[in-house]
Amino acid sequence: VLDPTTGKLQRLVSGMSGNKFAYPSQIVSNGKLVFVLNLGQYDDYAEVEYNDPVDSVDPSSGKIVKSYYAEYDSTIAVSGSRLFQAYEDDSASNEQHPAGVWSDVVANGRTAWFASTTNYAWYNPTGMIVVGRYLFVADTGRVTQLVSRTGAMVRELAQIPHIPFTDVMASTEGYLFVANIDHSVSQINVASGERVRVIPSSEGNLEPTAMAAHGGNVYIVNANDTVTEIDPGTGALVRQFAGPAYGFSSPSSIAFFQNTMEILNTANISVTIVPGVR
């Protein structure tokens, strides 16, 4: 746990498998708890595979509150009292485990609903985002819109012809933003599912690896070591964060704490903290 204004370590949280998380790959929060997705590990000595769960952590104490079954999970999302888990297709193995998405009640871990590839033809869901009453699931070039409380199908979002979606998504002001494989970004009306506009890759030299919304605008993290701020009202460039002063190095993730922007840099294993972003 880092101080978002100074970047200093406040607390080191440890958990499963010998007082450490088992290859944590994703962290999300509902504003009260932090949820950690563990990929699991293989013990060569014992010849045992551990598929570790999603752990909910109290950020004030650093203690694990509850663990949720998460075998084969590829991504998670959380909103209020619901945890959403997606897992990839493993039907080629002896376990015959097709892709699917399910929702757990955060308080007790009870499964609220389950949706499988039989219903939605998923193969490898790799991204999810909750927007209001909807859950959007990104899977191999497609994005499916579900009712988050029930898992009921709403629609499959229309792509630009022959240009699949990626799993990079963000939302603000009633719009969903989804990066396309050609580095452009589709802006979609959440209520209607209609595409409002396509923001071309030339608008800020886009190469999206992550996105987040803050202060009504959308911030796009690019593989070319820049961050682009877009006005959702017009789709126009507001400003771009670039240059050696930011220390971006293959940035791959973004988060905001109040008006502080935090960027995870994969290449040099660092976090860039940019205060005063409004």
Side-chain angles (χ1 to χ4, degrees):
V1 180
L2 303 179
D3 184 318
T5 57
T6 66
K8 292 183 179 180
L9 178 68
Q10 292 185 316
R11 181 182 298 109
L12 181 63
V13 181
S14 61
M16 302 293 293
S17 303
N19 294 324
K20 64 179 181 179
F21 291 111
Y23 296 96
S25 63
Q26 187 182 0
I27 298 176
V28 297
S29 175
N30 64 356
K32 295 182 179 179
L33 298 174
V34 173
F35 297 79
V36 181
L37 171 60
N38 299 283
L39 288 184
Q41 59 184 339
Y42 186 83
D43 188 329
D44 292 323
Y45 179 78
E47 295 186 351
V48 175
E49 183 176 3
Y50 300 98
N51 290 291
D52 287 286
V54 174
D55 296 317
S56 63
V57 179
D58 182 343
S60 61
S61 67
K63 293 182 178 180
I64 291 179
V65 177
K66 188 171 183 60
S67 296
Y68 306 83
Y69 180 77
E71 192 172 18
Y72 302 107
D73 272 17
S74 54
T75 187
I76 59 175
V78 66
S79 179
S81 63
R82 291 294 183 90
L83 171 68
F84 303 93
Q85 303 182 59
Y87 55 88
E88 63 186 7
D89 182 86
D90 192 46
S91 56
S93 72
N94 292 332
E95 297 188 35
Q96 297 291 308
H97 196 290
V101 174
W102 79 83
S103 172
D104 286 333
V105 178
V106 168
N108 56 29
R110 179 177 59 84
T111 299
W113 55 260
F114 168 78
S116 73
T117 188
T118 303
N119 307 105
Y120 303 119
W122 288 316
Y123 177 72
N124 185 22
T126 54
M128 291 192 293
I129 185 173
V130 181
V131 184
R133 58 188 292 263
Y134 299 112
L135 173 69
F136 293 87
V137 181
D139 171 82
T140 55
R142 304 161 50 236
V143 174
T144 306
Q145 183 177 1
L146 309 178
V147 177
S148 62
R149 297 296 296 180
T150 65
M153 174 75 155
V154 178
R155 63 177 63 89
E156 184 174 322
L157 300 184
Q159 304 172 351
I160 304 170
H162 311 299
I163 301 178
F165 292 124
T166 70
D167 59 5
V168 178
M169 299 182 288
S171 176
T172 186
E173 306 294 335
Y175 297 108
L176 177 71
F177 293 80
V178 187
N180 302 305
I181 200 169
D182 67 348
H183 296 166
S184 65
V185 174
S186 293
Q187 181 177 351
I188 296 166
N189 185 300
V190 169
S192 66
E194 295 180 355
R195 188 167 57 243
V196 177
R197 64 174 58 89
V198 176
I199 303 169
S201 59
S202 58
E203 193 71 38
N205 195 22
L206 302 180
E207 294 182 27
T209 60
M211 281 194 283
H214 173 71
N217 287 345
V218 175
Y219 293 77
I220 303 172
V221 178
N222 301 301
N224 55 31
D225 293 346
T226 64
V227 175
T228 303
E229 181 181 356
I230 296 292
D231 180 353
T234 62
L237 173 70
V238 176
R239 58 179 160 172
Q240 191 166 54
F241 301 82
Y246 292 103
F248 296 142
S249 183
S250 299
S252 60
S253 186
I254 180 172
F256 282 91
F257 177 80
Q258 297 178 356
N259 289 323
T260 298
M261 179 172 70
E262 302 173 1
I263 305 293
L264 174 65
N265 300 294
T266 303
N268 60 9
I269 315 176
S270 67
V271 176
T272 297
I273 296 177
V274 184
V277 177
R278 298 181 184 276

